[in-house]
Amino acid sequence: MLMQVLTQLVIVVSLLMIVSIGAFVGRYRLRDTRTEWRRRVREAAPITLLLALVLLGNSVARQTVPELSWMIGWNLTWPIYDLEGQFILWLQSYATPSVTAYFSFVYIYGYVFLLVFPIVAYFALSNTRPLRELLTAYTLNYALGLVLYVFVIAYGPRNLMPELVDALLYDTYPQYQHLTRQVNRNTNVFPSLHTSLAATAGFLAFRTRGVYPKWFVVATVLALSVAVSTMYLGIHWLIDVLAGIVLAYVSVTLAGHLVGRWSLSSRLAGRVPYVSDNT
Amino acid sequence: MLASVAGATVATSGCVRQVRSTVNRDGIDQLSLTITTVPADADRESIQLARALRDAFEAAGMDVSIEMQAPEEFHRTVLINHDFDVYVARHPGGVDPDYLYETLHSRYVDEAGWQNPFGFANLAVDEFLESQRAAADDDRAEAVTETLEALALEQPFVPICVPEEYRLARTDRFDGWEDDRIPTRLGYLGLETGETVRTLRLVHTDARLSENLNPLSVEYRDDGTVTDLLYDSLAVERPEHGELEPWLADGWAWENETLTVELRDGLTFHDGESLTAADVAFTYRFLADTTLGDADVPAPSPRFRGQAAAVDGIDVVDDRRLELAFSIGEPAAERALSVPILPEHVWRPRAERATVSGVRTADGTTEALVTDNVPPIGSGPFEFADLVERDSVTLERFDEHVTRRPDVDLPEPTVERISIAIDPRSTSAIQLVSANDADVTNRPLESYVVDDVLESVPEDVRVLQSPSRRFYHLGFNARKAPFSNPRFRRTVARLVDKQWLVEDVFDGHARPAATPVVEEWTPESLEWNGDDPETPFLGTDGDVDTAAAKAAFEDAGFRYDGDRLQVRR
C-alpha cells in the first residue's frame, strides 16, 4: 500500500516538476547549469549534507520524541481548543467534495512539489546563495520544530472532534495515511511543519521574485493553500499554523544571516581535492 | 498599666479569634474538573462521549476541561497512578459478573490495574461482592442481583453502553468464521482453508501491539486476543458451549473448595522447555505478587488479579497434577483457570525491581510489569516470529501444540503463519480487507463506519457481529471530593443521556446499559426500559434541563451561586 502511494507521489510530482521547469526556469538557465553544475554542487554540498543529517536524525528522533514528551512535555490540546474555539469548524462548514479534493491534493502533492521545485529552480541559478539559504532554512525548520515537539504535546482537531471535523483526508483517501504515518506522530501538531516548510518556500520565493516572478505567484498561492489545507483537513489548529509561519520567518531570517558567514565550502575548497573544474 | 495591657490582650484575642475563624474557613469555588480520555486515533467514541459529557456537566454549572492522553499514558495515569478526576473509557468487562469483585472491592483500592481504579470503598458493597463470590450455582443469581442493585445505588462508575462489535473477514481464503468466537483466540483457530493458503493476515488498529507483548501489561493490553494466541491457559471458554473447557488441563475436579487439576502430558513451551505443574503453581504465585515476596510490599499483576487472588493455596502433587485451594464457590473459582500460564524459567528473574539508571523507581515496579516481553515465550498455538514497531507482528504455528495432537478434539491452528499489519484507522483496515490485502480485522470496527460497511459489503467478505462484554463508562476518582460522595455521583449519573449517546455517538450500534454485566446476568430491575431505571436522565435528547439539574444537586446537599455549582475546596 505504501509503495503504491509513494509511486503515485513520485509520478505526480515529477510531472509537475517537468512542466514547471519548462515554464519558470527556461532553456538558457538549464544550458548554463550544464556547464556550471560542478561548482554549484560543491558550494551547496556542505549544507545539503547537514540537511540530510538533520533529516536522518529527525527520523530516528521521531521514535523517541513522543516518549520523551509524555515525560517532560506540556499537554496543550485543551488550552489551544479553549483559545481558538470554533475556527476549524467554521472553516469546515465550507466543505464540498471538490474543495476537499483540491486541499487533499495540495496537502500531499502540492506540498511536496512546493518544497522540491525551488531546490531545482535555485540550482539553476548561477548564484548559489538562494539555494544555500533555502536548504539552511529547511534544516532550521526541522531542527527547531523537533525541539518544540519535545516540549509540546498537542493533538490536532481531528483527534478532539472526530465527528465534526471529518478527518477528511484519511476517510476520503485512507491510503494517504500510510504516507503521513511514516513522517508524523499524532501528538506532533504544534507547530505545523507542513505550514512552516511551505511558508519557507514562499518567503524565499518573495526574496527571489526578481529572478522568478511567476514562481513567486505560484508559490504564494500554494503556500497559502497548504496552510489552509492543514486546518481544513482537521490536521492542525489555527495556532499551529500561525506558529508554523513564525517558525518559517525565524528560519528564513536566520538562514539569511548564517549563509555566507562561515562558508564551509570556501574553507574546504583549498584543502580537499574536490571534483576539479577543468575535467 | 498592667490592667490595660491585659484588657487590650483580651480584646485583641477575641478579635483575632474571630478573624481566624473567618479567614481560615476554606473558600467555596465553582466545581472544576477534568475529564481524562484518549484521542480519537485511539478510541473515536471515548472522546465524543467525553465532549458530550462536558456539555452536560457545564449545563449543570461545572467548569469542565478535557485532557487527552495517548492510550498507554492514559492507562498509566488512571490505572496505575490514579491521577484523575473522572475519566471516560472502555472497560474490559467480563463474561462472569465476578469480575466486579476485583473491580470494586475495597481491598484493591491501592493496587494498580483494572482492580478498583476508582478508589471506591464501601463495606456493604464489599459484603455483596463476597457473597456472590462464595455462592454456589443455585444461589448465585440472587446474590449477583443484590450486588448489581447495590452498585446501581452507589454508582461507583457510570456504565454508559455496550457497543456492538463488527469485524470483517474474507470468505474466499478462509471458511469457518464464527461471530461469537472472533473476539477470542478461538476465532483464529480451526479455520478451514485450502492447501495453498499458508498465512492468515490480520489487520490490527492499535500500534501498541507492536511495541509490547507482555500479557501482564495493563498499559499495552486491551482484550489481549493476540497474547492469548501466544500464551495458553488451563481452560478456555468456548462461547458456543458457554462454559470453560479443558485446554492445557486434561480435566479438573471440584471438591471441598479445592480444584484438583491434571495437566495433559508432554506439554512444552515454545523454547522447548517442558511445562509442568511447577510452572502453573509459579504463575499463580507470580500473579499474586510479582516480587515473589522479596520486597516489603507485594506487587500483584494488574491483569488477572481477581482470578489469581481467588487462589488461597497451591499444592504441587507431581509434574502433571496440582491442587488449588479456594474459599469461594465453584463458579467464581473456575475463573482462575483462564489465566495465561507463564514459564517459570523466563519470569522468575523478572521479579527483580525494574531499574532505570539514575532514576529511583517506585516500590513494586518489578521488571515483570514493565518489560516489553519481546520475544514472548509461551505455550500457545502460535509462537512469536518477528515484529516491526508500529508496522507489523508475525507469529508462526507452534507445531507441538496440544490442539495439533490427533487425540485432542480442540480447534487447532490451521495456518502456518499469522501476519498482523498495524493500521490505525477502520477505514483503511476495511480497504485492506476489501482489496484482499488482509483476511480479517482483529479489533472491532469503529461505530461510524459500520453503517457504510453494512450497506455495501464487499465481495467475498463477511461481516461478523459479536456480542460484547466491554462497555463504555464514566469513572470517578472516589479518593477526591466531591466524587467520594454517592449522592454527587448519582446526580452526575443523571446528567448522562445514555440512550441519546448511543444514537448520537454510536449511530445506534450499542445498547444503553444501567448495569455493567452481559445481558444474561442483567436483573429485571435493571433492564433498560427506554430510560435508566435507576438514574433517569434529567432532560431530553441529550440536553440537560438546567433547572432540574440544579434542583437535583441542591437536593443532594450542594449549593449554587447563580448558575455555578459551588463546592468547598
Side-chain angles (χ1 to χ4, degrees), chain B residues 385-404:
Chain B
D386 187 31
L387 70 72
V388 180
E389 223 172 272
R390 296 172 61 75
D391 187 66
S392 65
V393 180
T394 314
L395 312 180
E396 263 161 25
R397 183 166 64 201
F398 180 45
D399 287 324
E400 281 97 274
H401 194 254
V402 281
T403 55
R404 304 263 299 158

Side-chain angles (χ1 to χ4, degrees), chain A residues 1 4 63 67 70-71 75 77-78 81-82 153 155-156 158-167 170-175 177-178 181-182 184-187 237, chain B residues 38-42 44 47-48 51 54 64-73 76 211 220 389-391 422-425 427-429 431-432 435 437 448-449:
Chain A
M1 195 68 104
Q4 194 185 329
Q63 300 296 324
E67 310 283 338
W70 283 111
M71 277 157 65
N75 192 340
T77 317
W78 189 256
Y81 171 77
D82 237 13
I153 294 169
Y155 286 101
R158 65 186 180 86
N159 260 310
L160 183 64
M161 306 181 283
E163 78 290 8
L164 299 173
V165 177
D166 298 319
Y170 301 135
D171 281 341
T172 322
Y173 310 101
Q175 65 273 24
Q177 72 170 335
H178 295 279
R181 198 154 61 94
Q182 302 299 316
N184 282 326
R185 294 293 282 257
N186 57 9
T187 47
W237 303 99
Chain B
V38 291
D41 277 352
R44 195 181 161 92
I47 180 64
Q48 286 179 263
R51 284 193 19 260
R54 171 185 185 250
V64 187
S65 61
I66 295 177
E67 173 149 358
M68 292 193 290
Q69 298 187 344
E72 62 275 18
E73 194 62 26
R76 208 146 32 223
E211 297 166 343
Y220 288 87
E389 223 172 272
R390 296 172 61 75
D391 187 66
I422 307 292
D423 200 298
R425 295 183 73 84
T427 37
S428 53
Q431 209 177 48
L432 287 179
D437 287 320
Y448 80 112
V449 297

Side-chain angles (χ1 to χ4, degrees), chain A:
Chain A
M1 195 68 104
L2 177 65
M3 277 322 290
Q4 194 185 329
V5 178
L6 271 178
T7 317
Q8 214 170 326
L9 179 71
V10 169
I11 292 171
V12 172
V13 172
S14 306
L15 286 175
L16 286 172
M17 292 289 290
I18 290 166
V19 173
S20 312
I21 289 171
F24 305 132
V25 180
R27 208 148 28 104
Y28 299 107
R29 291 204 182 96
L30 285 181
R31 196 190 53 202
D32 293 347
T33 307
R34 275 234 311 268
T35 56
E36 284 183 28
W37 66 273
R38 287 169 210 278
R39 176 185 60 83
R40 295 183 197 171
V41 165
R42 200 172 54 217
E43 285 180 8
I47 182 60
T48 311
L49 198 68
L50 188 62
L51 176 61
L53 280 177
V54 167
L55 285 178
L56 205 67
N58 215 25
S59 64
V60 175
R62 286 284 172 104
Q63 300 296 324
T64 40
V65 159
E67 310 283 338
L68 205 60
S69 300
W70 283 111
M71 277 157 65
I72 60 172
W74 304 294
N75 192 340
L76 291 188
T77 317
W78 189 256
I80 290 174
Y81 171 77
D82 237 13
L83 197 66
E84 72 177 61
Q86 308 292 308
F87 177 77
I88 303 293
L89 297 180
W90 173 81
L91 191 66
Q92 283 213 329
S93 64
Y94 295 98
T96 65
S98 47
V99 178
T100 304
Y102 170 72
F103 280 122
S104 302
F105 180 84
V106 164
Y107 185 82
I108 301 282
Y109 302 106
Y111 169 70
V112 175
F113 167 68
L114 176 61
L115 298 198
V116 175
F117 176 71
I119 298 179
V120 175
Y122 295 157
F123 184 71
L125 297 179
S126 183
N127 178 0
T128 57
R129 190 178 168 93
L131 178 62
R132 285 179 291 145
E133 277 188 16
L134 179 78
L135 297 176
T136 310
Y138 284 172
T139 311
L140 286 166
N141 268 301
Y142 276 109
L144 298 175
L146 191 69
V147 173
L148 285 165
Y149 285 160
V150 173
F151 288 102
V152 179
I153 294 169
Y155 286 101
R158 65 186 180 86
N159 260 310
L160 183 64
M161 306 181 283
E163 78 290 8
L164 299 173
V165 177
D166 298 319
L168 291 164
L169 182 65
Y170 301 135
D171 281 341
T172 322
Y173 310 101
Q175 65 273 24
Y176 287 146
Q177 72 170 335
H178 295 279
L179 188 67
T180 51
R181 198 154 61 94
Q182 302 299 316
V183 275
N184 282 326
R185 294 293 282 257
N186 57 9
T187 47
N188 293 346
V189 301
F190 179 92
S192 160
L193 264 198
H194 247 80
T195 303
S196 77
L197 288 167
T200 299
F203 286 143
L204 284 168
F206 176 74
R207 275 197 193 168
T208 55
R209 67 191 181 283
V211 197
Y212 289 126
K214 281 183 280 178
W215 166 245
F216 168 58
V217 177
V218 172
T220 307
V221 171
L222 264 182
L224 286 173
S225 297
V226 168
V228 174
S229 75
T230 62
M231 295 183 284
Y232 176 88
L233 298 172
I235 293 160
H236 285 294
W237 303 99
L238 176 61
I239 289 173
D240 307 333
V241 168
L242 296 179
I245 294 172
V246 172
L247 174 60
Y249 186 79
V250 169
S251 302
V252 170
T253 313
L254 274 178
H257 286 296
L258 293 175
V259 168
R261 176 152 298 187
W262 3 274
S263 166
L264 265 174
S265 56
S266 58
R267 271 191 219 174
L268 289 174
R271 302 180 196 168
V272 183
Y274 257 102
V275 191
S276 158
D277 265 2
N278 45 15
T279 41

Side-chain angles (χ1 to χ4, degrees), chain B residues 347-360:
Chain B
W347 289 81
R348 184 173 278 282
R350 293 181 179 169
E352 294 291 319
R353 178 192 275 222
T355 50
V356 178
S357 52
V359 182
R360 223 186 98 81

